Amino acid sequence: MFKITGLILSIILVLPLWAATGTTATTETCSRIASINYQEVLVDVSNNNRGEGLRYYLEKDQVAKELLDEYQENNHSTWKSAALSTLGSAMILGGALRTSSGQNEKFTNRNFLIFGGAAFIALSYLISKTNQFNNEYLLIKSVEEYNKRNTPKIFFSPTDPKNGVGLGIGASQEF
């Protein structure tokens, strides 16, 4: 029993460190590029202000600017996800410190605390990634709104062919 608990704890503690320092986590944000006037522009200047590289162009259109601001606001971490992760970590710590596990205990059972805490952390991570994925629509919509009324056109595909399957089509016609 102690070996399984030790294995679960080590996975839970090492996995976030591996994800934060892995190459996929660092290249996801820094590699998004838009093409403007045949020049490549870095879309995400930093992890804190995703989409900030397009602000110079998107500020020219009020609707596009508002959508970019909403996109950046939705990308910030919320207290809810932090509270859920903290609760999960506290449950795992409480389960690890718990020495005896009685048969009639339900919510203070060692296994319940450890697995419940791991589930809270996983749930928090999934919710945050889902919100981030769904929020990308706002950045795409912002670029589309800008392209409707302004030049030079921005060609931006949010997917990276190295990290997954993506398709981008751009067409421009001037009279």
Side-chain angles (χ1 to χ4, degrees):
M1 180 63 186
F2 181 70
K3 291 180 183 180
I4 293 173
T5 305
L7 178 65
I8 292 171
L9 281 175
S10 62
I11 288 172
I12 290 172
L13 294 175
V14 171
L15 190 59
L17 295 174
W18 174 75
T21 59
T23 57
T24 57
T26 56
T27 59
E28 175 187 336
T29 302
C30 298
S31 66
R32 297 193 318 169
I33 296 174
S35 178
I36 305 170
N37 271 347
Y38 304 105
Q39 295 179 346
E40 292 183 342
V41 175
L42 191 62
V43 175
D44 301 320
V45 180
S46 69
N47 284 341
N48 296 336
N49 285 329
R50 297 176 56 120
E52 189 65 26
L54 297 176
R55 181 171 293 280
Y56 173 77
Y57 298 98
L58 297 178
E59 278 183 333
K60 296 175 184 176
D61 187 88
Q62 186 61 31
V63 176
K65 181 185 177 297
E66 288 173 3
L67 287 169
L68 177 65
D69 290 340
E70 184 179 353
Y71 167 77
Q72 288 181 336
E73 182 65 32
N74 290 346
N75 266 334
H76 293 298
S77 299
T78 63
W79 68 269
K80 296 172 190 172
S81 65
L84 197 57
S85 296
T86 303
L87 177 63
S89 299
M91 285 177 69
I92 291 172
L93 182 63
L97 295 176
R98 181 112 171 118
T99 55
S100 65
S101 183
Q103 297 298 333
N104 58 356
E105 298 172 347
K106 293 187 181 197
F107 297 115
T108 59
N109 186 330
R110 179 183 180 129
N111 290 334
F112 176 81
L113 289 173
I114 291 174
F115 291 118
F120 278 152
I121 291 173
L123 180 67
S124 172
Y125 177 78
L126 288 175
I127 289 172
S128 126
K129 282 298 182 183
T130 302
N131 287 341
Q132 189 178 28
F133 178 78
N134 290 335
N135 192 36
E136 289 298 314
Y137 172 76
L138 291 173
L139 183 62
I140 295 168
K141 185 71 174 163
S142 176
V143 170
E144 288 174 358
E145 289 294 325
Y146 169 84
N147 284 340
K148 284 180 187 178
R149 295 177 285 277
N150 298 292
T151 56
K153 301 293 183 205
I154 299 173
F155 296 102
F156 170 62
S157 176
T159 59
D160 185 13
K162 293 177 272 183
N163 292 333
V165 178
L167 175 66
I169 298 175
S172 176
Q173 181 177 0
E174 295 184 21
F175 295 101

